[in-house]
Amino acid sequence: MAIFNTLTRKFVLISIIGLCLLAVYMYAAILFLHHIKGEGTSINLAGQLRFRSFKMAWLVQKITLEGRPENAALLKKGLKDEVAGFEEIIENLQKGSRELQIRPVTKHRKDALLIFDSIVNDWNLIFKPALLEIITLPPPKKKFRIMTISSMPM
């Protein structure tokens, strides 16, 4: 071919091909980054749900073991705050949040939606009512002792 008879023309052609490949790669990267926008925040919120559930369990344990009413009241306030925080995270994950730049858990991720719906149902039907009831209970009159397997008499 007469077009490629000089080294300069070959270099220009190779450069154009390279720039086209670079442009396609950059476009694909931009599409990918746009697609995963907010996914890290969603994963972080899911981790916060797990953390808050452990913290609520710890607070319930501390409330049942606390002998002084003033300390139990502080722990109950902390439990109430954790319940509110848990609710807020569930709402953000369900509806999405412009502020956090996350999309709602939708039909596009069916496996995540099934798990998330199960968590929300358990929260609304079992855990939240039980925790709210614990918050309204009067402080214990005596201190309870939780027995572990290692402290049980043999």
Side-chain angles (χ1 to χ4, degrees):
M1 293 190 149
I3 297 174
F4 303 115
N5 58 359
T6 66
L7 187 59
T8 304
R9 288 183 181 171
K10 290 178 184 177
F11 178 72
V12 169
L13 181 66
I14 291 173
S15 297
I16 290 172
I17 292 171
L19 286 174
C20 288
L21 290 174
L22 181 65
V24 168
Y25 172 76
M26 289 174 61
Y27 179 72
I30 288 170
L31 282 178
F32 176 71
L33 289 174
H34 181 70
H35 178 71
I36 65 166
K37 184 178 183 181
E39 294 297 316
T41 304
S42 296
I43 292 169
N44 186 21
L45 288 174
Q48 284 184 31
L49 285 177
R50 182 184 55 81
F51 168 75
R52 285 180 186 269
S53 66
F54 283 108
K55 189 168 181 183
M56 286 185 285
W58 178 79
L59 285 168
V60 167
Q61 180 185 11
K62 295 296 275 184
I63 289 168
T64 58
L65 295 175
E66 187 55 54
R68 297 190 309 229
E70 60 274 4
N71 289 349
L74 286 173
L75 292 169
K76 286 181 181 182
K77 183 189 178 314
L79 181 59
K80 190 175 181 180
D81 293 343
E82 289 300 319
V83 168
F86 200 90
E87 282 283 314
E88 182 181 347
I89 292 171
I90 285 177
E91 184 176 331
N92 284 334
L93 288 172
Q94 277 181 327
K95 298 178 181 175
S97 170
R98 287 186 187 265
E99 179 184 327
L100 299 174
Q101 297 181 346
I102 60 171
R103 296 183 305 250
V105 178
T106 61
K107 299 174 190 124
H108 301 292
R109 297 175 274 183
K110 291 180 183 175
D111 53 342
L113 184 62
L114 290 173
I115 295 169
F116 183 68
D117 284 344
S118 171
I119 291 170
V120 171
N121 287 337
D122 288 347
W123 170 253
N124 287 324
L125 298 175
I126 301 169
F127 299 112
K128 183 180 174 185
L131 291 170
L132 293 177
E133 187 175 333
I134 289 171
I135 291 171
T136 60
L137 289 176
K141 297 198 181 350
K142 67 176 192 172
K143 203 172 192 178
F144 294 99
R145 182 170 165 245
I146 294 179
M147 294 186 69
T148 61
I149 291 176
S150 62
S151 67
M152 294 177 72
M154 298 263 178

